[in-house]
């Protein structure tokens, strides 16, 4: 195994214990006879590995759990409507609109029952306005308030 | 991180707060430690820890045990901490992009040799981690401080094992370069 390959493995798999035992043994053999690679391995351990492995464990302060408890005490708002398959839902809504337009079309285009009803109502109100029904549309008969005028 | 039994997880997923508190007790040290080392800010690390456990609580009933709970927690923690770091710390990103500037700044304050002699190991760790960009930092924290193997790191960060390897290699090269500058008379 040459120095380049050894140095490559020293930086990663060797120091991290990820090598197969036979390859690890080959590297150890190489290190025993190569001062350059040995120097790198020592520097690596001292400057890039050991400082982290001596790191103290830290505990989360109590206030963190208090915050979590408060946050999860407020229940999540349940979604009112969940669309599980948006493509199908969209197609269904489009079909519904299409059918509504098709079936409602005759009522709006021809003189169907709705149109006739509207016409009848218009004629009835016009009839009331003429006074022919016996009611007089004069000032004396009204309450005379602004609200009444508004409704008239 | 300590092992957490399936029974405890099932209980917590049904809304049992005592069970969830026990999960918190077993996992919070890992979550807070990773967040603190990645972000280097205690207040933000507390917020990240809180966010991670709220995410766990809200999603626990949907957890199907297809992967291990530990891996799931590693992943949520690493993602939340990295997102917080990348989002809140533009200065850190700038430093990571300009590694030489960071090295010079550290040289002015203390050499690595002097730093090793510091009583407070936290300062040394923080100083070394400051040399790394967020992705390298996450790999080093998970590997060196939390002891995860390459497979666990790759799952936690959602990257392949060769990427884990190359990030660790670059991180160590950076730390060695910093150490060489510290060794200068």
């Amino acid at each position: 195994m040459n120095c380049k390959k050894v140095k490559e493995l020293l930086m990663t798999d060797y120091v991290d214990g990820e090598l197969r035992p036979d390859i690890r043994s080959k590297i150890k053999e190489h290190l025993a006879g190569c001062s350059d690679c040995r120097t790198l391995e020592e520097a690596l351990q001292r400057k890039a590995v050991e400082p982290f492995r001596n790191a103290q464990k830290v505990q989360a302060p109590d206030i963190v759990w208090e915050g979590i408890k408060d946050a999860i005490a407020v229940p999540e708002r349940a979604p009112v409507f969940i669309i599980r398959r948006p493509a199908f839902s969209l197609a269904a809504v489009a079909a519904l609109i299409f059918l509504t337009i098709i079936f409602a079309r005759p009522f709006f285009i021809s003189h169907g029952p709705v149109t006739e009803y509207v016409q009848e109502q218009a004629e009835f109100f016009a009839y009331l306005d003429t006074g022919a029904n016996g009611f007089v549309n004069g000032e004396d008969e009204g309450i005379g308030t602004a609200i009444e005028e508004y409704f008239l | 991180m300590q092992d957490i039994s399936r029974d405890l997880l099932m209980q917590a997923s049904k809304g049992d707060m005592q069970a969830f508190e026990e999960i918190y007790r077993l996992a919070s040290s890992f979550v807070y430690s990773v967040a603190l080392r990645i972000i280097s800010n205690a207040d933000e690390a507390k917020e990240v820890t809180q966010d991670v456990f709220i995410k766990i609580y809200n999603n626990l009933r949907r957890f199907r045990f297809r992967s291990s709970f530990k891996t799931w927690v590693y992943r949520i923690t690493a993602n939340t901490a990295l997102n917080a770091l990348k989002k809140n710390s533009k200065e850190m990103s700038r430093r990571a992009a300009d590694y030489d500037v960071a090295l010079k700044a550290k040289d002015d304050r203390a050499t690595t040799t002097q730093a090793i002699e510091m009583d407070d190991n936290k300062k040394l760790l923080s100083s070394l981690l400051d040399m790394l960009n967020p992705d390298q930092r996450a790999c080093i924290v998970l590997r060196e401080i939390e002891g995860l193997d390459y497979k666990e790191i790759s799952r936690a960060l959602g990257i392949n094992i060769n990427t884990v390897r190359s990030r660790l290699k670059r991180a160590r090269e950076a730390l060695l370069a910093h150490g060489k500058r510290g060794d200068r008379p």
Side-chain angles (χ1 to χ4, degrees):
Chain A
M1 199 175 280
N2 62 33
C3 288
K4 192 183 171 195
K5 183 69 185 166
V6 169
K7 283 177 180 171
E8 187 85 16
L9 290 171
L10 280 177
M11 297 292 277
T12 53
D13 297 58
Y14 182 83
V15 290
D16 292 323
E18 296 267 346
L19 283 179
R20 286 197 336 243
D22 57 325
I23 298 175
R24 192 171 182 83
S25 299
K26 281 182 186 171
I27 290 179
K28 280 189 171 174
E29 278 172 29
H30 180 94
L31 288 174
C34 177
S35 64
D36 195 26
C37 289
R38 206 165 49 241
T39 304
L40 174 68
E41 199 259 334
E42 286 165 3
L44 192 63
Q45 290 289 352
R46 198 172 68 252
K47 293 169 184 170
V49 176
E50 283 166 11
F52 296 106
R53 292 188 180 166
N54 294 329
Q56 290 178 331
K57 289 283 171 195
V58 288
Q59 294 293 329
D62 292 344
I63 196 170
V64 176
W65 173 242
E66 297 302 319
I68 294 165
K69 266 200 302 188
D70 289 347
I72 60 185
V74 180
E76 257 189 307
R77 240 180 111 186
V80 178
F81 182 65
I82 298 171
I83 298 173
R84 293 196 184 279
R85 302 168 106 181
F88 285 110
S89 305
L90 201 64
V93 169
L96 195 65
I97 292 168
F98 178 74
L99 290 173
T100 306
I101 291 168
I102 293 295
F103 284 108
R105 202 163 164 263
F107 291 103
F108 292 105
I109 291 174
S110 66
H111 294 285
V114 174
T115 316
E116 283 170 17
Y117 176 76
V118 171
Q119 272 180 345
E120 278 172 14
Q121 290 302 307
E123 283 166 13
F124 176 67
F125 280 109
Y127 170 73
L128 287 176
D129 205 35
T130 60
N133 58 350
F135 293 108
V136 180
N137 223 7
E139 286 177 13
D140 296 327
E141 298 296 320
I143 300 168
T145 60
I147 194 81
E148 185 198 35
E149 284 169 12
Y150 173 80
F151 280 111
L152 285 171
Chain B
M1 196 175 98
Q2 296 181 57
D3 286 327
I4 292 170
S5 75
R6 192 172 174 143
D7 285 347
L8 191 62
L9 293 170
M10 295 296 281
Q11 278 177 274
S13 71
K14 288 171 188 162
D16 182 336
M17 273 306 284
Q18 272 190 324
F20 187 67
E21 189 169 355
E22 181 64 9
I23 292 170
Y24 174 83
R25 199 183 61 73
L26 295 167
S28 61
S29 175
F30 167 83
V31 174
Y32 181 69
S33 173
V34 169
L36 185 64
R37 307 297 186 198
I38 290 179
I39 303 172
S40 288
N41 179 306
D43 286 336
E44 285 183 30
K46 284 180 210 163
E47 274 184 37
V48 165
T49 306
Q50 202 164 304
D51 283 354
V52 168
F53 280 95
I54 291 167
K55 283 177 190 169
I56 292 172
Y57 182 82
N58 287 337
N59 292 290
L60 199 53
R61 60 182 171 274
R62 286 189 279 270
F63 185 68
R64 293 285 174 262
F65 298 95
R66 287 190 195 115
S67 64
S68 86
F69 179 72
K70 265 189 186 180
T71 304
W72 191 49
V73 175
Y74 292 159
R75 188 151 194 169
I76 296 174
T77 305
N79 280 341
T80 311
L82 275 172
N83 286 342
L85 178 66
K86 287 172 182 173
K87 188 176 168 186
N88 299 337
S89 183
K90 287 179 184 172
E91 192 196 343
M92 277 302 301
S93 304
R94 185 185 57 72
R95 269 194 285 175
D98 192 351
Y99 177 67
D100 285 339
V101 173
L103 280 182
K104 189 173 184 309
K106 285 292 163 192
D107 269 357
D108 293 342
R109 269 192 268 168
T111 64
T112 301
T113 312
Q114 287 165 337
I116 287 168
E117 290 165 6
M118 283 179 192
D119 289 337
D120 191 354
N121 195 42
K122 283 183 200 168
K123 284 183 184 171
L124 170 64
L125 280 185
S126 179
S127 156
L128 293 175
L129 289 170
D130 272 359
M131 297 295 102
L132 311 175
N133 72 33
D135 292 330
Q136 293 168 351
R137 184 190 279 235
C139 279
I140 285 284
V141 168
L142 294 175
R143 171 64 216 138
E144 301 289 19
I145 301 176
E146 300 303 329
L148 271 63
D149 62 28
Y150 287 4
K151 206 171 180 180
E152 288 171 320
I153 297 170
S154 82
R155 284 179 180 161
L157 298 176
I159 55 179
N160 69 45
I161 286 182
N162 279 335
T163 308
V164 173
R165 205 171 260 122
S166 72
R167 284 183 188 176
L168 284 171
K169 181 173 175 272
R170 286 197 187 124
R172 284 169 180 151
E173 284 169 350
L175 294 167
L176 280 175
H178 176 59
K180 271 183 191 168
R181 290 181 185 217
D183 287 342
R184 280 187 318 210

